[in-house]
Short mmCIF file of all heavy atoms in Angstrom, two decimals:
data_model
loop_
_atom_site.label_atom_id
_atom_site.label_comp_id
_atom_site.label_asym_id
_atom_site.label_seq_id
_atom_site.Cartn_x
_atom_site.Cartn_y
_atom_site.Cartn_z
N MET A 1 -15.16 -3.12 -6.29
CA MET A 1 -14.57 -1.83 -5.96
C MET A 1 -14.33 -1.08 -7.26
O MET A 1 -13.86 -1.64 -8.23
CB MET A 1 -13.25 -2.08 -5.22
CG MET A 1 -12.50 -0.81 -4.87
SD MET A 1 -11.04 -1.07 -3.85
CE MET A 1 -11.79 -1.15 -2.25
N ASN A 2 -14.67 0.20 -7.25
CA ASN A 2 -14.41 0.99 -8.45
C ASN A 2 -13.11 1.78 -8.27
O ASN A 2 -12.55 1.85 -7.19
CB ASN A 2 -15.60 1.89 -8.80
CG ASN A 2 -15.82 2.99 -7.80
OD1 ASN A 2 -14.89 3.62 -7.31
ND2 ASN A 2 -17.07 3.23 -7.47
N TRP A 3 -12.67 2.37 -9.37
CA TRP A 3 -11.35 3.00 -9.34
C TRP A 3 -11.34 4.25 -8.45
O TRP A 3 -10.33 4.57 -7.85
CB TRP A 3 -10.85 3.31 -10.74
CG TRP A 3 -9.37 3.51 -10.65
CD1 TRP A 3 -8.70 4.68 -10.63
CD2 TRP A 3 -8.40 2.49 -10.44
NE1 TRP A 3 -7.35 4.46 -10.45
CE2 TRP A 3 -7.15 3.11 -10.34
CE3 TRP A 3 -8.45 1.10 -10.34
CZ2 TRP A 3 -5.96 2.41 -10.14
CZ3 TRP A 3 -7.27 0.41 -10.15
CH2 TRP A 3 -6.05 1.06 -10.04
N ASP A 4 -12.45 4.95 -8.31
CA ASP A 4 -12.50 6.11 -7.42
C ASP A 4 -12.22 5.69 -5.98
O ASP A 4 -11.56 6.40 -5.23
CB ASP A 4 -13.84 6.83 -7.50
CG ASP A 4 -14.00 7.61 -8.79
OD1 ASP A 4 -12.97 8.04 -9.37
OD2 ASP A 4 -15.14 7.80 -9.23
N GLN A 5 -12.72 4.51 -5.60
CA GLN A 5 -12.46 4.00 -4.26
C GLN A 5 -10.98 3.64 -4.10
O GLN A 5 -10.40 3.89 -3.04
CB GLN A 5 -13.31 2.75 -3.98
CG GLN A 5 -14.79 3.06 -3.85
CD GLN A 5 -15.62 1.79 -3.82
OE1 GLN A 5 -15.49 0.94 -4.69
NE2 GLN A 5 -16.47 1.69 -2.82
N VAL A 6 -10.39 3.08 -5.13
CA VAL A 6 -8.97 2.74 -5.09
C VAL A 6 -8.15 4.01 -4.90
O VAL A 6 -7.25 4.06 -4.05
CB VAL A 6 -8.53 2.00 -6.38
CG1 VAL A 6 -7.02 1.86 -6.45
CG2 VAL A 6 -9.21 0.65 -6.47
N LYS A 7 -8.46 5.04 -5.68
CA LYS A 7 -7.71 6.30 -5.56
C LYS A 7 -7.85 6.89 -4.15
O LYS A 7 -6.88 7.38 -3.59
CB LYS A 7 -8.20 7.31 -6.59
CG LYS A 7 -7.70 7.02 -7.98
CD LYS A 7 -8.25 8.00 -8.99
CE LYS A 7 -7.60 9.35 -8.84
NZ LYS A 7 -7.97 10.28 -9.91
N GLY A 8 -9.05 6.81 -3.60
CA GLY A 8 -9.29 7.38 -2.28
C GLY A 8 -8.58 6.64 -1.17
O GLY A 8 -8.27 7.22 -0.13
N GLU A 9 -8.31 5.37 -1.39
CA GLU A 9 -7.65 4.55 -0.37
C GLU A 9 -6.31 4.02 -0.89
O GLU A 9 -5.91 2.90 -0.58
CB GLU A 9 -8.56 3.38 0.02
CG GLU A 9 -9.85 3.86 0.64
CD GLU A 9 -10.67 2.70 1.19
OE1 GLU A 9 -10.09 1.67 1.56
OE2 GLU A 9 -11.90 2.86 1.25
N TRP A 10 -5.60 4.85 -1.65
CA TRP A 10 -4.39 4.38 -2.33
C TRP A 10 -3.34 3.88 -1.35
O TRP A 10 -2.64 2.91 -1.64
CB TRP A 10 -3.82 5.45 -3.24
CG TRP A 10 -2.63 4.94 -3.98
CD1 TRP A 10 -1.35 5.40 -3.90
CD2 TRP A 10 -2.59 3.86 -4.93
NE1 TRP A 10 -0.53 4.67 -4.73
CE2 TRP A 10 -1.28 3.72 -5.37
CE3 TRP A 10 -3.56 2.99 -5.41
CZ2 TRP A 10 -0.89 2.74 -6.29
CZ3 TRP A 10 -3.17 2.01 -6.33
CH2 TRP A 10 -1.86 1.90 -6.76
N LYS A 11 -3.22 4.48 -0.19
CA LYS A 11 -2.18 4.02 0.75
C LYS A 11 -2.41 2.56 1.14
O LYS A 11 -1.46 1.79 1.23
CB LYS A 11 -2.13 4.90 1.99
CG LYS A 11 -1.56 6.26 1.67
CD LYS A 11 -1.37 7.10 2.90
CE LYS A 11 -0.82 8.45 2.46
NZ LYS A 11 -0.35 9.25 3.52
N VAL A 12 -3.65 2.17 1.34
CA VAL A 12 -3.98 0.78 1.66
C VAL A 12 -3.84 -0.09 0.41
O VAL A 12 -3.25 -1.17 0.45
CB VAL A 12 -5.41 0.67 2.23
CG1 VAL A 12 -5.83 -0.78 2.40
CG2 VAL A 12 -5.53 1.43 3.53
N MET A 13 -4.38 0.40 -0.68
CA MET A 13 -4.38 -0.37 -1.92
C MET A 13 -2.97 -0.55 -2.47
O MET A 13 -2.68 -1.54 -3.15
CB MET A 13 -5.27 0.30 -2.96
CG MET A 13 -6.74 0.37 -2.57
SD MET A 13 -7.46 -1.23 -2.14
CE MET A 13 -7.43 -2.05 -3.72
N LYS A 14 -2.11 0.40 -2.18
CA LYS A 14 -0.72 0.31 -2.64
C LYS A 14 -0.06 -0.96 -2.10
O LYS A 14 0.64 -1.67 -2.82
CB LYS A 14 0.05 1.55 -2.20
CG LYS A 14 1.48 1.60 -2.68
CD LYS A 14 2.11 2.92 -2.33
CE LYS A 14 2.67 2.85 -0.93
NZ LYS A 14 3.58 3.94 -0.60
N GLY A 15 -0.30 -1.26 -0.83
CA GLY A 15 0.25 -2.47 -0.24
C GLY A 15 -0.31 -3.72 -0.90
O GLY A 15 0.42 -4.69 -1.14
N LYS A 16 -1.59 -3.69 -1.22
CA LYS A 16 -2.21 -4.83 -1.90
C LYS A 16 -1.66 -4.98 -3.31
O LYS A 16 -1.46 -6.09 -3.80
CB LYS A 16 -3.73 -4.67 -1.92
CG LYS A 16 -4.33 -4.77 -0.53
CD LYS A 16 -5.83 -4.62 -0.55
CE LYS A 16 -6.38 -4.71 0.86
NZ LYS A 16 -7.82 -4.66 0.90
N ALA A 17 -1.41 -3.85 -3.96
CA ALA A 17 -0.83 -3.89 -5.31
C ALA A 17 0.58 -4.47 -5.25
O ALA A 17 0.96 -5.28 -6.10
CB ALA A 17 -0.81 -2.50 -5.93
N GLN A 18 1.33 -4.09 -4.24
CA GLN A 18 2.70 -4.60 -4.13
C GLN A 18 2.70 -6.10 -3.84
O GLN A 18 3.58 -6.82 -4.30
CB GLN A 18 3.50 -3.84 -3.09
CG GLN A 18 4.97 -4.20 -3.16
CD GLN A 18 5.85 -3.11 -2.67
OE1 GLN A 18 5.52 -2.44 -1.72
NE2 GLN A 18 6.98 -2.92 -3.32
N SER A 19 1.69 -6.57 -3.09
CA SER A 19 1.58 -8.01 -2.85
C SER A 19 1.32 -8.76 -4.15
O SER A 19 1.85 -9.84 -4.37
CB SER A 19 0.45 -8.30 -1.87
OG SER A 19 0.76 -7.82 -0.59
N LYS A 20 0.49 -8.18 -5.01
CA LYS A 20 0.14 -8.82 -6.28
C LYS A 20 1.29 -8.71 -7.29
O LYS A 20 1.59 -9.67 -7.97
CB LYS A 20 -1.13 -8.20 -6.85
CG LYS A 20 -1.48 -8.71 -8.24
CD LYS A 20 -2.88 -9.16 -8.32
CE LYS A 20 -3.22 -9.60 -9.72
NZ LYS A 20 -3.46 -11.02 -9.79
N TRP A 21 1.86 -7.53 -7.38
CA TRP A 21 2.93 -7.29 -8.35
C TRP A 21 4.21 -6.94 -7.58
O TRP A 21 4.61 -5.78 -7.50
CB TRP A 21 2.54 -6.16 -9.31
CG TRP A 21 1.34 -6.48 -10.11
CD1 TRP A 21 1.25 -7.37 -11.14
CD2 TRP A 21 0.02 -5.93 -9.96
NE1 TRP A 21 -0.03 -7.41 -11.63
CE2 TRP A 21 -0.81 -6.54 -10.92
CE3 TRP A 21 -0.54 -4.99 -9.10
CZ2 TRP A 21 -2.16 -6.24 -11.05
CZ3 TRP A 21 -1.89 -4.70 -9.22
CH2 TRP A 21 -2.68 -5.30 -10.18
N GLY A 22 4.84 -7.94 -7.04
CA GLY A 22 5.98 -7.78 -6.14
C GLY A 22 7.20 -7.10 -6.73
O GLY A 22 8.05 -6.61 -5.99
N GLU A 23 7.30 -7.08 -8.05
CA GLU A 23 8.46 -6.44 -8.67
C GLU A 23 8.32 -4.92 -8.73
O GLU A 23 9.29 -4.23 -9.03
CB GLU A 23 8.69 -7.00 -10.07
CG GLU A 23 9.14 -8.45 -10.06
CD GLU A 23 9.46 -8.98 -11.44
OE1 GLU A 23 9.80 -8.18 -12.34
OE2 GLU A 23 9.36 -10.20 -11.61
N LEU A 24 7.13 -4.40 -8.45
CA LEU A 24 6.95 -2.94 -8.45
C LEU A 24 7.47 -2.39 -7.13
O LEU A 24 7.18 -2.92 -6.06
CB LEU A 24 5.47 -2.58 -8.62
CG LEU A 24 4.81 -3.03 -9.91
CD1 LEU A 24 3.35 -2.61 -9.93
CD2 LEU A 24 5.53 -2.49 -11.12
N THR A 25 8.22 -1.32 -7.21
CA THR A 25 8.80 -0.73 -6.00
C THR A 25 7.82 0.25 -5.35
O THR A 25 6.86 0.70 -5.99
CB THR A 25 10.09 0.04 -6.34
OG1 THR A 25 9.75 1.17 -7.15
CG2 THR A 25 11.12 -0.84 -7.05
N ASN A 26 8.10 0.56 -4.08
CA ASN A 26 7.28 1.56 -3.38
C ASN A 26 7.31 2.88 -4.13
O ASN A 26 6.29 3.56 -4.23
CB ASN A 26 7.78 1.77 -1.95
CG ASN A 26 7.23 0.75 -1.00
OD1 ASN A 26 6.14 0.22 -1.20
ND2 ASN A 26 7.99 0.45 0.03
N ASP A 27 8.48 3.26 -4.62
CA ASP A 27 8.60 4.53 -5.35
C ASP A 27 7.74 4.54 -6.61
O ASP A 27 7.09 5.53 -6.91
CB ASP A 27 10.07 4.80 -5.72
CG ASP A 27 10.91 5.19 -4.53
OD1 ASP A 27 10.34 5.54 -3.47
OD2 ASP A 27 12.15 5.13 -4.64
N GLU A 28 7.74 3.42 -7.32
CA GLU A 28 6.91 3.35 -8.53
C GLU A 28 5.43 3.46 -8.18
O GLU A 28 4.69 4.17 -8.86
CB GLU A 28 7.17 2.03 -9.28
CG GLU A 28 8.52 1.99 -9.96
CD GLU A 28 8.84 0.63 -10.53
OE1 GLU A 28 8.46 -0.41 -9.93
OE2 GLU A 28 9.47 0.60 -11.60
N LEU A 29 5.03 2.76 -7.12
CA LEU A 29 3.62 2.81 -6.72
C LEU A 29 3.25 4.19 -6.19
O LEU A 29 2.14 4.66 -6.41
CB LEU A 29 3.33 1.71 -5.71
CG LEU A 29 3.38 0.30 -6.29
CD1 LEU A 29 3.35 -0.74 -5.20
CD2 LEU A 29 2.26 0.08 -7.28
N ASP A 30 4.18 4.85 -5.49
CA ASP A 30 3.93 6.21 -5.05
C ASP A 30 3.74 7.13 -6.26
O ASP A 30 2.88 8.01 -6.27
CB ASP A 30 5.09 6.74 -4.19
CG ASP A 30 5.07 6.18 -2.78
OD1 ASP A 30 4.02 5.66 -2.33
OD2 ASP A 30 6.12 6.26 -2.11
N GLU A 31 4.56 6.91 -7.27
CA GLU A 31 4.49 7.72 -8.49
C GLU A 31 3.15 7.51 -9.20
O GLU A 31 2.57 8.45 -9.73
CB GLU A 31 5.65 7.31 -9.42
CG GLU A 31 5.96 8.29 -10.49
CD GLU A 31 7.20 7.88 -11.26
OE1 GLU A 31 8.27 7.77 -10.66
OE2 GLU A 31 7.06 7.67 -12.48
N ALA A 32 2.65 6.28 -9.19
CA ALA A 32 1.37 5.99 -9.83
C ALA A 32 0.24 6.72 -9.11
O ALA A 32 -0.73 7.14 -9.74
CB ALA A 32 1.09 4.48 -9.83
N ALA A 33 0.36 6.88 -7.80
CA ALA A 33 -0.57 7.69 -6.99
C ALA A 33 -2.04 7.36 -7.25
O ALA A 33 -2.88 8.24 -7.29
CB ALA A 33 -0.29 9.17 -7.20
N GLY A 34 -2.33 6.09 -7.47
CA GLY A 34 -3.72 5.71 -7.65
C GLY A 34 -4.26 5.92 -9.04
O GLY A 34 -5.45 5.74 -9.28
N GLU A 35 -3.41 6.28 -9.97
CA GLU A 35 -3.86 6.48 -11.36
C GLU A 35 -3.78 5.14 -12.10
O GLU A 35 -2.71 4.55 -12.22
CB GLU A 35 -3.00 7.53 -12.07
CG GLU A 35 -3.12 8.91 -11.48
CD GLU A 35 -4.52 9.49 -11.61
OE1 GLU A 35 -5.22 9.21 -12.59
OE2 GLU A 35 -4.92 10.23 -10.69
N ARG A 36 -4.91 4.68 -12.54
CA ARG A 36 -4.99 3.35 -13.17
C ARG A 36 -4.05 3.22 -14.37
O ARG A 36 -3.37 2.21 -14.52
CB ARG A 36 -6.43 3.07 -13.57
CG ARG A 36 -6.59 1.71 -14.20
CD ARG A 36 -8.00 1.42 -14.63
NE ARG A 36 -8.00 0.11 -15.25
CZ ARG A 36 -8.81 -0.87 -14.90
NH1 ARG A 36 -9.70 -0.70 -13.96
NH2 ARG A 36 -8.74 -2.03 -15.52
N GLU A 37 -4.04 4.21 -15.24
CA GLU A 37 -3.21 4.12 -16.44
C GLU A 37 -1.75 4.00 -16.09
O GLU A 37 -1.00 3.28 -16.75
CB GLU A 37 -3.44 5.34 -17.35
CG GLU A 37 -4.84 5.39 -17.96
CD GLU A 37 -5.89 5.94 -16.99
OE1 GLU A 37 -5.54 6.57 -15.97
OE2 GLU A 37 -7.09 5.71 -17.24
N GLN A 38 -1.32 4.71 -15.06
CA GLN A 38 0.08 4.63 -14.65
C GLN A 38 0.40 3.26 -14.08
O GLN A 38 1.45 2.69 -14.35
CB GLN A 38 0.42 5.73 -13.66
CG GLN A 38 0.51 7.08 -14.30
CD GLN A 38 1.02 8.15 -13.36
OE1 GLN A 38 0.95 8.03 -12.15
NE2 GLN A 38 1.55 9.22 -13.93
N LEU A 39 -0.51 2.72 -13.28
CA LEU A 39 -0.31 1.39 -12.73
C LEU A 39 -0.23 0.36 -13.85
O LEU A 39 0.66 -0.49 -13.87
CB LEU A 39 -1.44 1.03 -11.75
CG LEU A 39 -1.37 -0.38 -11.15
CD1 LEU A 39 -0.07 -0.58 -10.36
CD2 LEU A 39 -2.57 -0.64 -10.27
N GLU A 40 -1.14 0.44 -14.79
CA GLU A 40 -1.11 -0.48 -15.93
C GLU A 40 0.19 -0.35 -16.71
O GLU A 40 0.78 -1.35 -17.13
CB GLU A 40 -2.30 -0.25 -16.85
CG GLU A 40 -3.62 -0.68 -16.23
CD GLU A 40 -4.84 -0.32 -17.07
OE1 GLU A 40 -4.68 0.28 -18.15
OE2 GLU A 40 -5.95 -0.64 -16.63
N GLY A 41 0.66 0.88 -16.89
CA GLY A 41 1.93 1.10 -17.59
C GLY A 41 3.11 0.49 -16.85
O GLY A 41 4.01 -0.09 -17.46
N LEU A 42 3.11 0.60 -15.54
CA LEU A 42 4.17 -0.02 -14.74
C LEU A 42 4.17 -1.54 -14.88
O LEU A 42 5.22 -2.16 -14.99
CB LEU A 42 4.02 0.36 -13.26
CG LEU A 42 4.32 1.81 -12.89
CD1 LEU A 42 3.89 2.08 -11.45
CD2 LEU A 42 5.80 2.10 -13.07
N ILE A 43 2.98 -2.10 -14.86
CA ILE A 43 2.84 -3.56 -15.01
C ILE A 43 3.34 -3.98 -16.40
O ILE A 43 4.08 -4.97 -16.52
CB ILE A 43 1.38 -4.00 -14.79
CG1 ILE A 43 0.99 -3.75 -13.32
CG2 ILE A 43 1.18 -5.47 -15.16
CD1 ILE A 43 -0.50 -3.82 -13.04
N GLN A 44 2.99 -3.22 -17.41
CA GLN A 44 3.45 -3.52 -18.77
C GLN A 44 4.98 -3.50 -18.83
O GLN A 44 5.59 -4.42 -19.36
CB GLN A 44 2.92 -2.48 -19.76
CG GLN A 44 1.48 -2.62 -20.13
CD GLN A 44 1.08 -1.53 -21.10
OE1 GLN A 44 0.62 -0.48 -20.68
NE2 GLN A 44 1.27 -1.77 -22.37
N LYS A 45 5.55 -2.45 -18.30
CA LYS A 45 7.00 -2.26 -18.37
C LYS A 45 7.74 -3.31 -17.56
O LYS A 45 8.68 -3.93 -18.04
CB LYS A 45 7.31 -0.86 -17.85
CG LYS A 45 8.77 -0.48 -17.84
CD LYS A 45 8.91 0.96 -17.39
CE LYS A 45 10.08 1.12 -16.47
NZ LYS A 45 10.19 2.45 -15.90
N ARG A 46 7.31 -3.53 -16.34
CA ARG A 46 8.04 -4.43 -15.42
C ARG A 46 7.87 -5.90 -15.79
O ARG A 46 8.79 -6.68 -15.65
CB ARG A 46 7.56 -4.17 -14.00
CG ARG A 46 8.26 -4.96 -12.94
CD ARG A 46 9.69 -4.57 -12.74
NE ARG A 46 9.75 -3.23 -12.18
CZ ARG A 46 10.87 -2.56 -12.00
NH1 ARG A 46 12.01 -3.11 -12.30
NH2 ARG A 46 10.86 -1.34 -11.52
N TYR A 47 6.68 -6.26 -16.26
CA TYR A 47 6.39 -7.68 -16.51
C TYR A 47 6.33 -8.04 -17.99
O TYR A 47 6.06 -9.19 -18.33
CB TYR A 47 5.07 -8.07 -15.84
CG TYR A 47 5.18 -8.09 -14.33
CD1 TYR A 47 4.85 -6.96 -13.58
CD2 TYR A 47 5.60 -9.22 -13.65
CE1 TYR A 47 4.95 -6.97 -12.20
CE2 TYR A 47 5.71 -9.24 -12.28
CZ TYR A 47 5.38 -8.11 -11.55
OH TYR A 47 5.49 -8.12 -10.19
N GLY A 48 6.51 -7.07 -18.87
CA GLY A 48 6.50 -7.34 -20.31
C GLY A 48 5.12 -7.74 -20.82
O GLY A 48 5.00 -8.55 -21.74
N LYS A 49 4.09 -7.18 -20.23
CA LYS A 49 2.71 -7.48 -20.62
C LYS A 49 2.26 -6.52 -21.71
O LYS A 49 2.77 -5.41 -21.84
CB LYS A 49 1.77 -7.32 -19.42
CG LYS A 49 2.13 -8.13 -18.21
CD LYS A 49 1.59 -9.52 -18.30
CE LYS A 49 1.88 -10.28 -17.02
NZ LYS A 49 1.37 -11.62 -17.08
N THR A 50 1.23 -6.96 -22.43
CA THR A 50 0.59 -6.05 -23.39
C THR A 50 -0.35 -5.14 -22.60
O THR A 50 -0.67 -5.41 -21.43
CB THR A 50 -0.23 -6.81 -24.44
OG1 THR A 50 -1.33 -7.45 -23.79
CG2 THR A 50 0.61 -7.82 -25.20
N LYS A 51 -0.80 -4.10 -23.25
CA LYS A 51 -1.75 -3.18 -22.62
C LYS A 51 -3.01 -3.93 -22.18
O LYS A 51 -3.51 -3.71 -21.08
CB LYS A 51 -2.09 -2.04 -23.58
CG LYS A 51 -3.01 -1.01 -23.01
CD LYS A 51 -3.22 0.15 -23.97
CE LYS A 51 -4.13 1.16 -23.35
NZ LYS A 51 -3.55 2.46 -23.22
N GLU A 52 -3.49 -4.82 -23.04
CA GLU A 52 -4.70 -5.58 -22.73
C GLU A 52 -4.48 -6.52 -21.54
O GLU A 52 -5.36 -6.68 -20.70
CB GLU A 52 -5.17 -6.37 -23.96
CG GLU A 52 -5.66 -5.51 -25.10
CD GLU A 52 -4.53 -4.86 -25.91
OE1 GLU A 52 -3.37 -5.36 -25.89
OE2 GLU A 52 -4.79 -3.82 -26.54
N GLU A 53 -3.31 -7.16 -21.49
CA GLU A 53 -3.01 -8.07 -20.38
C GLU A 53 -2.92 -7.30 -19.06
O GLU A 53 -3.45 -7.75 -18.04
CB GLU A 53 -1.68 -8.80 -20.62
CG GLU A 53 -1.75 -9.84 -21.71
CD GLU A 53 -0.39 -10.40 -22.09
OE1 GLU A 53 0.63 -9.67 -21.98
OE2 GLU A 53 -0.34 -11.57 -22.49
N ALA A 54 -2.27 -6.14 -19.08
CA ALA A 54 -2.15 -5.33 -17.87
C ALA A 54 -3.53 -4.87 -17.41
O ALA A 54 -3.84 -4.92 -16.21
CB ALA A 54 -1.24 -4.13 -18.12
N LYS A 55 -4.37 -4.45 -18.34
CA LYS A 55 -5.73 -4.01 -17.99
C LYS A 55 -6.51 -5.17 -17.38
O LYS A 55 -7.19 -4.99 -16.36
CB LYS A 55 -6.45 -3.47 -19.23
CG LYS A 55 -7.84 -2.95 -18.93
CD LYS A 55 -8.50 -2.43 -20.19
CE LYS A 55 -9.85 -1.81 -19.96
NZ LYS A 55 -10.72 -2.44 -19.02
N ALA A 56 -6.39 -6.36 -17.96
CA ALA A 56 -7.11 -7.53 -17.44
C ALA A 56 -6.62 -7.89 -16.03
O ALA A 56 -7.42 -8.26 -15.17
CB ALA A 56 -6.93 -8.71 -18.38
N GLU A 57 -5.32 -7.77 -15.79
CA GLU A 57 -4.79 -8.06 -14.46
C GLU A 57 -5.31 -7.06 -13.43
O GLU A 57 -5.66 -7.44 -12.31
CB GLU A 57 -3.26 -8.04 -14.47
CG GLU A 57 -2.66 -9.28 -15.06
CD GLU A 57 -1.19 -9.43 -14.76
OE1 GLU A 57 -0.66 -8.78 -13.84
OE2 GLU A 57 -0.55 -10.22 -15.48
N VAL A 58 -5.37 -5.80 -13.80
CA VAL A 58 -5.89 -4.78 -12.87
C VAL A 58 -7.38 -5.03 -12.62
O VAL A 58 -7.84 -4.94 -11.49
CB VAL A 58 -5.61 -3.36 -13.40
CG1 VAL A 58 -6.32 -2.31 -12.55
CG2 VAL A 58 -4.10 -3.09 -13.40
N ASP A 59 -8.13 -5.36 -13.67
CA ASP A 59 -9.55 -5.68 -13.50
C ASP A 59 -9.73 -6.85 -12.54
O ASP A 59 -10.59 -6.81 -11.65
CB ASP A 59 -10.20 -6.02 -14.85
CG ASP A 59 -10.42 -4.81 -15.73
OD1 ASP A 59 -10.40 -3.67 -15.21
OD2 ASP A 59 -10.60 -5.00 -16.95
N SER A 60 -8.92 -7.87 -12.69
CA SER A 60 -8.99 -9.05 -11.83
C SER A 60 -8.65 -8.68 -10.39
O SER A 60 -9.32 -9.10 -9.46
CB SER A 60 -8.03 -10.12 -12.35
OG SER A 60 -7.94 -11.19 -11.45
N TRP A 61 -7.63 -7.86 -10.22
CA TRP A 61 -7.20 -7.41 -8.90
C TRP A 61 -8.31 -6.63 -8.21
O TRP A 61 -8.56 -6.80 -7.02
CB TRP A 61 -5.94 -6.56 -9.05
CG TRP A 61 -5.41 -5.93 -7.83
CD1 TRP A 61 -4.90 -6.56 -6.73
CD2 TRP A 61 -5.31 -4.53 -7.55
NE1 TRP A 61 -4.48 -5.64 -5.80
CE2 TRP A 61 -4.72 -4.38 -6.29
CE3 TRP A 61 -5.65 -3.39 -8.28
CZ2 TRP A 61 -4.47 -3.14 -5.73
CZ3 TRP A 61 -5.37 -2.16 -7.71
CH2 TRP A 61 -4.80 -2.04 -6.45
N LEU A 62 -9.01 -5.80 -8.96
CA LEU A 62 -10.10 -5.00 -8.40
C LEU A 62 -11.27 -5.87 -7.91
O LEU A 62 -11.94 -5.52 -6.96
CB LEU A 62 -10.64 -4.00 -9.42
CG LEU A 62 -9.78 -2.79 -9.69
CD1 LEU A 62 -10.40 -1.94 -10.80
CD2 LEU A 62 -9.61 -1.96 -8.43
N SER A 63 -11.47 -6.99 -8.59
CA SER A 63 -12.60 -7.84 -8.23
C SER A 63 -12.28 -8.79 -7.08
O SER A 63 -13.17 -9.48 -6.58
CB SER A 63 -13.08 -8.62 -9.45
OG SER A 63 -12.10 -9.55 -9.87
N GLU A 64 -11.01 -8.84 -6.66
CA GLU A 64 -10.62 -9.73 -5.56
C GLU A 64 -11.10 -9.20 -4.23
O GLU A 64 -11.21 -8.06 -3.98
CB GLU A 64 -9.11 -9.90 -5.51
CG GLU A 64 -8.57 -10.66 -6.68
CD GLU A 64 -7.05 -10.74 -6.69
OE1 GLU A 64 -6.38 -10.16 -5.82
OE2 GLU A 64 -6.53 -11.39 -7.59
#
């Protein structure tokens, strides 16, 4: 799945993101609105990950 598909189906993908990163709130995911950089930033902030780690997690999530 590419990121354009994620953005187009964000309401569905938001639930999947919350399943993967349970500490992210609905409000935070709504704020991200399908923007990859914002999602990665939330993961960095909430989980104390580096930019590279957050990017790798999102890449892995996309391939699931």
Side-chain angles (χ1 to χ4, degrees):
M1 178 174 276
N2 67 42
W3 199 259
D4 286 333
Q5 291 170 308
V6 171
K7 284 177 74 172
E9 297 187 27
W10 183 243
K11 289 186 182 192
V12 173
M13 297 306 292
K14 183 174 86 166
K16 293 180 180 184
Q18 190 153 38
S19 292
K20 174 129 178 112
W21 298 288
E23 292 184 25
L24 298 180
T25 66
N26 276 332
D27 287 345
E28 288 173 325
L29 291 169
D30 284 342
E31 198 174 299
E35 295 297 327
R36 181 181 178 127
E37 293 80 17
Q38 287 187 338
L39 178 60
E40 290 174 0
L42 289 171
I43 294 166
Q44 285 180 268
K45 180 176 139 186
R46 183 68 67 186
Y47 290 93
K49 305 275 184 180
T50 66
K51 183 175 180 121
E52 293 77 22
E53 289 171 330
K55 182 181 184 320
E57 283 194 18
V58 172
D59 287 342
S60 172
W61 175 65
L62 285 176
S63 66
E64 292 176 356

